[in-house]
Amino acid sequence: MSAAVLLFAAPLAAPGTALADDAEPGPEQISNGDFAAGTAPWWWTANLSPAAPDGRLCAEVPAGTANAWDAIVGQNDIPIVAGESYELSYTASSTVPLTVQTRVQEAAAPYTTVLSTADPVGTEATRVTRTFTASVDQPAASMQLQIGGGERATTFCLDDVSLRGGAEPPVYVPDTGSPVRVNQVGYLPRGPKSGTVVTDAEAPLTWTVKAEDGSTAATGTTVPKGEDPSSRQRVHTFDFGGLTTAGDGYTVEVDGEVSEPFSIRGDLYDGLRSDALAYFYHNRSGTPIEADLVGEEYARPAGHAGVAPNKGDTDVPCQPGVCDYRLDVSGGWYDAGDHGKYVVNGGISVAQLMSTYERTLTAPDAESAELGDGELRVPERDNGVPDILDEARWEMDFLIKMQVPAGKPLAGMAHHKMHDTEWTGLPMKPHLDPQQRELHPPSTAATLNLAAAAAQCARLYAPFDKAFADRCLRAGETAWAAAKQHPDVLADPVDGTGGGAYSDNDVSDEFYWAAAELFTTTGKDAYRQAVLSSALHGDVNKIFPAGGGISWGSTAGLGALTLATVPSALTAGQLAEVRSVVTGGADRYAAQSRAQVYGLPYAPTGEDYVWGSNSQVLNNMVVLATAHDLTGDAAYQDAVLRGADYLLGRNALNQSYVTGYGERNSHNQHHRFWAHQNDPALPNPAPGSLAGGPNLTAIASGDPVAAEKLSGCAPAMCYIDDIGSWSTNEITINWNAPLAFIASYLDDAGEGGTAAPARTCRVAYSSHPWNSGSTVTVRVENTGSEPVSPWSLTWLLPGDQRLSHTWSAEFAQAGRTVSAKPLSWNRTLAPGAAVDFGFNLAATGPAPDPGSFKLNGRACASG
């Protein structure tokens, strides 16, 4: 998450003269702006040699510069007064069209900007006019036109440069489109269907759903709700849940206003599941991103691979004074809009990807087929490992590399983060980043993130790669021991140069999460006691607080979700207790969703929408989805679906916050190589990228776009789809991870179309206990219309149970994960046919039957 940026592009202010009609312009701040006196006092970078023989300044800009600021024409010593509004204008042309990064900023570090825009200039003379209000005093500011970063040489010419005070302050009014707000992607046939209309009408209004052909599909009346405190809008709501007919191109009309179009279909979220997961491949470090997986537009060379100008991530030193060693910390995912890699962001992100897969093993209706080998956009496909685990491994391997080596001070702990020594600017492809990379000090929070994620890794990878699973477990247990030895090594809250600080002064939640994952994987009593003795255990108000929930800085909920869903050595009473915490949190979020006029399961105290509020909505949806998996209560799923409605357009801004989804979707998020707004040669963010969303602290954060455009915004309106707004419009791995989880959940939920999901298999599991174990017989029946060949049945064994004697199938057990595959004579399951097999189990303690079975990744009915 970019807390600061050296140089970045801010929004394009409306062009045209902005001086008030009756205002006297302030004094001219630019000297020799018409170049009548030659080139003094202008300055330029060493690779330029401008001249002004005909009353304009022209310079040959060389080819192959990497960054906009590699070629600059500017003037210094310009006095700028905080609160004053200014108008900057100039005329420019370029023989090769380019985008000028127009800046008014400090002349030296930290280069604070008061104006930052991206202005296209072509072969014909173009007049550029920008107005801005200075946020800080700058007694000797620098006005710069940054013109580098082009692959081709060009001649850039400049004339009639002016900067005056007394401009009319620009007023930003967001374009919210239609006042009728719906999920712009659509609705599941058997799910809730709600919308909101912004209106001052006191009485109910008639709403009408129109089909694509213009016919009326449903009608009713709205419910007036008064003023919504989060948006300060007066609104009505409407419900058209009775409409279940599948189709595309539906709209809702209210009082002459028409919504964006939407669909009603069961497969709405199939593409989003794939795209949300592809986000992580797009943002891999240290490997080429291949066109055959993501398309030519998004292909790029490997970043930070040690090829000039990169310094590389294979031999990275610590910050001065932090350590005396260097580490290979290559791989992993770029965290956000910058090129940093952070353990506390990576830990929660990789855990939620692994949980997306683990849910397919534990939830009765979850299916792993769409996450399986050969299904996703990863280069490791067709290797016998589910693609989602291939993707998670790329980050997990990096996290392990961040561990302090044995024999060194703080051995076993994890470095908090690694990134460039200084902030890089936009745009910047990762393979062109010239800065030195540095390891930052270890922290207890990062170490416990590693312990938790590595423990989860150990149990999930065991069936596919035992050596890697063992490596994860060693790293996880070593990290736990190091954290216990150093429980209060906290990240420095002011360590925010070149990357976010991510400081956390309370790591009790990380201890709880790590203990829960290690106990679930190993069953060791020491971890059980760490869970049960935690002050957080069993307290829904601490684990799933009303005004917040799971985030990178609040991870106890991850531990509770694991304990509630994954078979472990908890007693029946202990399991019931932790499940009650999950359902208690879900009850709270479901009530919030029902109460909100826009349906989101998020109600922060004082309407204080936090940085990355959309991820908070999604993490609350993860709790709701898990509660639905545990109980089957439709109220939880309805709240998840209303949350999806909010994210995809049913909100105060009529904005889908997911790129490529909905008519009015975010597509200018803050990112260094998905930077089309700054450089038309670069792409917009890839489909499936989640924007951070409304942030009430945006103005105070130092975000210049927010300061200019969002002053006085209502909490739910504090968002702008602009690449410069890093506090409202960033994208990050730990925001896309819960999106991937929820997209997978919703795709599973939509499988049934207008009815309960159809099952194409049935499993009968019969156990016959004896003294220290049981004999089990299993029948698998193909209830579908197509043969299944070959077949593979997978399930998790609760408690401590081990297979012994087996018959009529080939078995494999890795921890609690068991799979049965055919022998040569029962390879094919024809429609209506069944196969029988069995085994003996040795058990220590209670040995309940499994809760769900998956045939080739598809959920089976029981009975």
Side-chain angles (χ1 to χ4, degrees):
M1 191 181 301
S2 298
V5 190
L6 171 62
L7 297 169
F8 50 84
L12 296 177
T17 300
L19 290 171
D21 292 340
D22 58 352
E24 287 293 327
E28 179 60 66
Q29 306 279 60
I30 297 294
S31 299
N32 190 27
D34 61 1
F35 303 99
T39 59
W42 291 87
W43 63 270
W44 45 86
T45 48
N47 56 353
L48 304 180
S49 299
D54 57 354
R56 60 175 184 158
L57 181 146
C58 292
E60 298 296 323
V61 183
T65 53
N67 309 293
W69 59 89
D70 289 342
I72 302 175
V73 174
Q75 189 170 132
N76 290 345
D77 299 320
I78 300 171
I80 296 293
V81 179
E84 177 74 12
S85 294
Y86 295 87
E87 179 180 285
L88 171 67
S89 59
Y90 61 87
T91 300
S93 64
S94 177
T95 55
V96 175
L98 56 77
T99 298
V100 179
Q101 302 299 322
T102 305
R103 303 284 187 265
V104 178
Q105 63 179 56
E106 290 179 294
Y111 305 104
T112 303
T113 61
V114 292
L115 173 69
S116 175
T117 63
D119 301 309
V121 169
T123 56
E124 299 296 325
T126 301
R127 188 66 178 168
V128 175
T129 301
R130 297 290 174 243
T131 58
F132 65 97
T133 301
S135 55
V136 294
D137 286 326
Q138 293 184 348
S142 176
M143 193 289 292
Q144 300 181 9
L145 303 182
Q146 300 175 1
I147 52 178
E151 295 182 359
R152 298 167 58 191
T154 186
T155 300
F156 176 79
C157 291
L158 176 67
D159 200 1
D160 297 327
V161 186
S162 174
L163 175 62
R164 292 178 179 270
E168 185 74 19
V171 177
Y172 172 71
V173 178
D175 174 15
T176 57
S178 169
V180 185
R181 312 291 162 75
V182 296
N183 181 329
Q184 296 171 21
V185 173
Y187 300 84
L188 297 182
R190 59 191 180 93
K193 301 172 188 68
S194 304
T196 304
V197 58
V198 180
T199 176
D200 289 328
E202 298 289 343
L205 301 170
T206 299
W207 59 261
T208 304
V209 179
K210 295 290 185 71
E212 193 170 24
D213 63 3
S215 62
T216 297
T219 190
T221 55
T222 64
V223 178
K225 291 291 187 177
E227 183 174 284
D228 168 37
S230 70
S231 64
R232 303 175 196 150
Q233 298 168 331
R234 295 187 62 80
V235 300
H236 295 197
T237 60
F238 53 91
D239 187 321
F240 56 105
L243 177 61
T244 60
T245 304
D248 299 316
Y250 283 107
T251 56
V252 179
E253 182 175 341
V254 184
D255 199 24
E257 301 285 353
V258 180
S259 74
E260 303 300 331
F262 60 89
S263 299
I264 298 177
R265 288 191 283 109
D267 61 351
L268 284 176
Y269 296 104
D270 184 47
L272 182 57
R273 182 203 310 240
S274 175
D275 285 341
L277 287 167
Y279 175 94
F280 296 91
Y281 173 64
H282 278 283
N283 284 280
R284 283 190 187 188
S285 174
T287 189
I289 304 305
E290 302 291 350
D292 62 345
L293 293 174
V294 299
E296 290 289 347
E297 184 180 16
Y298 293 101
R300 60 174 174 82
H304 299 96
V307 178
N310 275 174
K311 300 294 191 297
D313 287 353
T314 58
D315 185 33
V316 177
C318 285
Q319 284 181 305
V322 170
C323 74
D324 63 356
Y325 52 82
R326 304 170 76 96
L327 293 180
D328 175 359
V329 287
S330 57
W333 301 317
Y334 297 121
D335 167 64
D338 58 352
H339 297 142
K341 298 188 290 191
Y342 308 84
V343 173
V344 294
N345 291 53
I348 185 174
S349 302
V350 75
Q352 290 190 306
L353 254 65
M354 290 190 290
S355 293
T356 302
Y357 173 75
E358 192 158 33
R359 176 180 172 268
T360 70
L361 303 177
T362 61
D365 294 332
E367 300 193 336
S368 64
E370 283 80 6
L371 307 174
D373 190 22
E375 296 297 321
L376 302 178
R377 280 163 278 177
V378 297
E380 300 87 355
R381 59 195 325 187
D382 300 324
N383 64 349
V385 178
D387 285 349
I388 191 170
L389 292 186
D390 283 326
E391 189 57 70
R393 181 170 179 162
W394 193 260
E395 178 71 6
M396 195 67 243
D397 184 66
F398 159 73
L399 295 179
I400 295 173
K401 291 177 179 179
M402 290 287 281
Q403 199 160 28
V404 176
K408 297 295 183 180
L410 302 179
M413 295 193 75
H415 287 274
H416 195 70
K417 58 179 183 169
M418 67 83 58
H419 53 65
D420 294 327
T421 55
E422 300 287 344
W423 287 106
T424 55
L426 275 71
M428 170 72 77
K429 290 185 178 181
H431 71 286
L432 298 177
D433 178 7
Q435 292 207 32
Q436 178 63 55
R437 312 278 273 175
E438 289 181 337
L439 293 164
H440 290 244
S443 72
T444 304
T447 303
L448 291 167
N449 268 260
L450 172 59
Q456 187 178 18
C457 163
R459 65 177 180 266
L460 291 179
Y461 287 84
F464 307 105
D465 187 336
K466 186 176 184 302
F468 183 62
D470 290 345
R471 180 182 170 218
C472 284
L473 186 57
R474 286 192 303 272
E477 294 204 284
T478 298
W480 172 265
K484 292 287 285 183
Q485 187 176 358
H486 306 285
D488 55 1
V489 179
L490 305 181
D492 184 351
V494 299
D495 183 15
T497 300
Y502 293 103
S503 57
D504 185 352
N505 60 6
D506 180 0
V507 295
S508 61
D509 52 310
E510 282 88 357
F511 269 110
Y512 184 77
W513 174 33
E517 298 294 349
L518 284 161
F519 168 65
T520 300
T521 297
T522 68
K524 292 181 179 179
D525 191 59
Y527 302 128
R528 182 206 298 266
Q529 295 308 318
V531 168
L532 299 180
S533 64
S534 170
L536 303 177
H537 185 67
D539 191 333
V540 65
N541 293 316
K542 292 180 179 177
I543 293 179
F544 300 118
I550 296 170
S551 68
W552 68 264
S554 182
T555 57
L558 297 175
L561 295 179
T562 289
L563 293 171
T565 58
V566 182
S568 71
L570 287 176
T571 67
Q574 292 164 347
L575 178 60
E577 180 184 22
V578 75
R579 286 184 170 178
S580 72
V581 170
V582 173
T583 55
D587 288 339
R588 172 175 287 158
Y589 300 145
Q592 292 174 351
S593 172
R594 290 190 295 270
Q596 299 265 37
V597 298
Y598 285 111
L600 67 162
Y602 177 57
T605 304
E607 308 297 335
D608 185 10
Y609 279 59
V610 298
W611 195 319
S613 62
N614 285 341
S615 72
Q616 198 62 72
V617 174
L618 278 160
N619 279 319
N620 292 354
M621 291 163 66
V622 169
V623 178
L624 288 158
T626 304
H628 176 251
D629 285 340
L630 291 172
T631 67
D633 188 337
Y636 298 135
Q637 185 172 90
D638 287 352
V640 176
L641 289 164
R642 287 192 294 268
D645 295 345
Y646 168 81
L647 294 168
L648 295 169
R650 186 196 173 192
N651 54 57
L653 289 165
N654 197 23
Q655 180 88 20
S656 170
Y657 292 112
V658 182
T659 306
Y661 287 81
E663 291 291 318
R664 295 168 48 88
N665 65 84
S666 299
H667 54 274
N668 289 313
Q669 292 97 316
H670 181 81
H671 198 271
R672 276 165 175 71
F673 51 92
W674 292 338
H676 183 79
Q677 184 177 341
N678 273 14
D679 183 348
L682 295 175
N684 292 112
S689 301
L690 176 75
N695 175 12
L696 192 57
T697 65
I699 291 95
S701 71
D703 178 336
V705 178
E708 179 184 353
K709 298 296 184 81
L710 301 179
S711 179
C713 58
M717 305 284 283
C718 291
Y719 168 83
I720 183 170
D721 183 26
D722 189 285
I723 194 171
S725 183
W726 39 264
S727 70
T728 75
N729 202 35
E730 195 170 29
I731 43 184
T732 81
I733 55 174
N734 56 298
W735 300 346
N736 245 72
L739 176 65
F741 182 103
I742 288 299
S744 187
Y745 168 86
L746 291 175
D747 196 31
D748 289 339
E751 289 292 328
T754 57
R759 299 294 176 230
T760 58
C761 53
R762 181 182 297 113
V763 174
Y765 185 96
S766 303
S767 58
H768 310 279
W770 32 272
N771 289 340
S772 59
S774 60
T775 297
V776 176
T777 58
V778 180
R779 165 165 285 206
V780 183
E781 181 182 358
N782 180 358
T783 58
S785 59
E786 299 291 332
V788 180
S789 180
W791 54 267
S792 176
L793 190 73
T794 304
W795 66 95
L796 296 183
L797 281 174
D800 185 9
Q801 304 184 73
R802 304 295 301 179
L803 270 68
S804 54
H805 179 61
T806 65
W807 58 92
S808 300
E810 179 183 337
F811 292 86
Q813 181 176 9
R816 292 187 174 88
T817 304
V818 178
S819 63
K821 297 181 179 181
L823 301 176
S824 59
W825 52 271
N826 59 3
R827 180 178 178 83
T828 299
L829 261 175
V835 61
D836 296 283
F837 52 84
F839 47 87
N840 289 337
L841 282 174
T844 303
D849 290 347
S852 64
F853 300 87
K854 308 298 162 68
L855 182 67
N856 290 8
R858 300 293 185 189
C860 294
S862 297

